[in-house]
Amino acid sequence: MTPCSLKLLLFVLTTLNLLVVLVLAKNAGITRRYKFDVKMQNVTRLCQTKSIVTVNGQFPGPTITAREGDRVIVNVVNHVQYNVSIHWHGVRQLRSGWADGPAYITQCPIQTGQNYVYNFTITGQRGTLFWHAHISWLRVTVYGAIIILPKRGVPYPFPQPYKEVPIIFGEWWKADTETIISQALQTGGAPNISDAYTINGLPGPFYNCSAIDTLKLKVKPGKTYLLRLINAALNDELFFSVANHNLTVVEADAVYVKPFKTNIVLITPGQTTNVLLKTKNHHPNATFLMAARPYATGPAAFDNSTTAGILEYHNPSNKTKKINNIPLLRPSLPVFNDTTFATKFSNKLRSLANVKFPAKVPQTVDRRFFFTVGLGLNPCSNQNQTCQGPNNTMLGASVNNVSFVMPSTSLLQAHFFNQSKRVYTTDFPTNPPFKFNYTGTPPNNSMVTSGTKVVVLPFNTKVELVMQDTSIIGAESHPLHLHGFNFFVVGQGFGNYNPNTDPAKFNLVDPAERNTVGVPSGGWVAIRFLADNPGVWFLHCHLEVHTSWGLKMAWIVLDGKRQNQKLPPPPSDLPKC
């Protein structure tokens, strides 16, 4: 080899090496560090000041912003009287189950004066998610947005918005919510309903003393805004609309969808939806309400009020004109029990299912499960008192008639260290213990059983799960959230699921990919997922009252054979019970 050709070869190799380094640098994430001080804060809403649990004194809490591929480290320090844990809702937590956050499922809670460092990498995800407390009812005020941007230089698969705005729906009680749920669980009755809904922590003009506590979104004409909608409400699904403006849905639960136009969005607790709002080309000489109110199908009382913010056009040429003289237009929202709209809306959600963003739907199934989800009754626990459920009983809820009992230590620790004895059993029923007309006349015996039961899945099991609502106490839509995975919503329908005829209608091409799905009121939903994430993963209703009553269960996914298919040991600062 001549000296010239050797130099050329060295130059080519050096250039290639540099290109590889640049490509790796572009795709490699950075580490983002946050400190969450959980502390009490006085906040005034609805003419009343109360002390609430917050992160860093903020309500809602701080936004976590990261890019796909980034590592996120959050040091959570507990300064309040309550035990605390934080869940990063919708983050896959691949091989980082110790950071998932649900108390007594993946960790013991952080006790007063203690801290825990949540450490996880965001792998293969981009979009809007959120974080919230995951113990008792603390998430009522302990929540905030998670915004995952695409990798640097990677565009959205829709027009680049002029501005991005998080819109977080919440729920507000005048009374102390920890006292409310504690009393309800003692008496067996339904807990008191909320006093208001909020947008970014503000109730809006339809509530007492709240005209100043109204979100104002100032926009410019002829621009596209990305609204990152998050339902952090405790117990209510919500309809949302902006007066005289269409919305284009482009993402659900941090997964891009085939864009579709709508003037109303339905969003359940635990769900996120990204929508594009294109403003009018000229100043419209009006302001517009952005309003949300509940979709409610169950038998219980609910907060039938409306929260609203104001969409206001920036008009520099007419600064003197008073806002009071401009008409305020209201959106038209469906009636509270409009299941027809709810069904049509959820059926429009479809994965992009293209080369860049494929829908990896399991085409075959290894294990099939059929879960009934709904309400039930427990006997009155105290013979000396009258319970407030029907006929002196206590209200409960269950999956396959098992009302889940929270253990006093973490399931993940018990599993990892082979100490399951007296913590959990692995006999969670694959099917309901007895068959009945699930959406027809309920059986005479509505009593639930209770236990800490789990399902064990070998690594990489392809799972199909049908969740069936029941009419016991009353049919109701239940938003079910699965930790540790996204799943594909392959089918849904009304009445009782028919295993002989319904699977023929499943969409295995471009179904919506989600982490939270509404089981239709008086109907069923079928999902599929690949159990490729070792650990213990919670499945529960995201209506907090139903979770409190026991509508929850857990999956244990075993380690795979390879090293990168195994759950690493816990961090040294994992909280103790």
Side-chain angles (χ1 to χ4, degrees), residues 135-169:
I135 183 167
S136 190
W137 276 25
L138 291 188
R139 76 174 179 86
V140 68
T141 54
V142 180
Y143 60 83
I146 299 176
I147 294 172
I148 308 167
L149 301 169
K151 289 181 177 177
R152 202 170 288 283
V154 177
Y156 294 130
F158 47 80
Q160 178 69 30
Y162 170 70
K163 198 175 175 187
E164 303 181 8
V165 184
I167 301 281
I168 313 179
F169 304 109

Side-chain angles (χ1 to χ4, degrees), residues 12-32:
V12 169
L13 287 171
T14 307
T15 307
L16 281 171
N17 192 40
L18 185 63
L19 283 169
V20 168
V21 168
L22 287 170
V23 167
L24 287 173
K26 183 191 170 187
N27 288 307
I30 63 168
T31 299
R32 299 179 187 257

Side-chain angles (χ1 to χ4, degrees), residues 8 10 95 123 204 244-245 254 279 317-318 342 366 375 387 424 447 461 511 538 547 576:
L8 181 64
L10 280 170
R95 297 178 62 240
T123 307
N244 289 40
H245 288 73
T279 57
S317 61
N318 194 3
D366 300 318
L375 305 182
C387 285
Y424 65 83
M447 293 293 174
T461 303
F538 210 15
T547 298
K576 292 177 173 55

Side-chain angles (χ1 to χ4, degrees), residues 161-214:
Y162 170 70
K163 198 175 175 187
E164 303 181 8
V165 184
I167 301 281
I168 313 179
F169 304 109
E171 220 167 340
W172 183 267
W173 275 258
K174 289 180 181 177
D176 176 64
T177 41
E178 288 303 284
T179 305
I180 286 172
I181 184 56
S182 173
Q183 287 176 347
L185 293 176
Q186 282 169 19
T187 64
N192 290 348
I193 60 172
S194 56
D195 296 291
Y197 300 105
T198 57
I199 300 177
N200 293 359
L202 302 168
F206 297 135
Y207 299 100
N208 283 348
C209 315
S210 299
I212 54 163
D213 291 329
T214 301

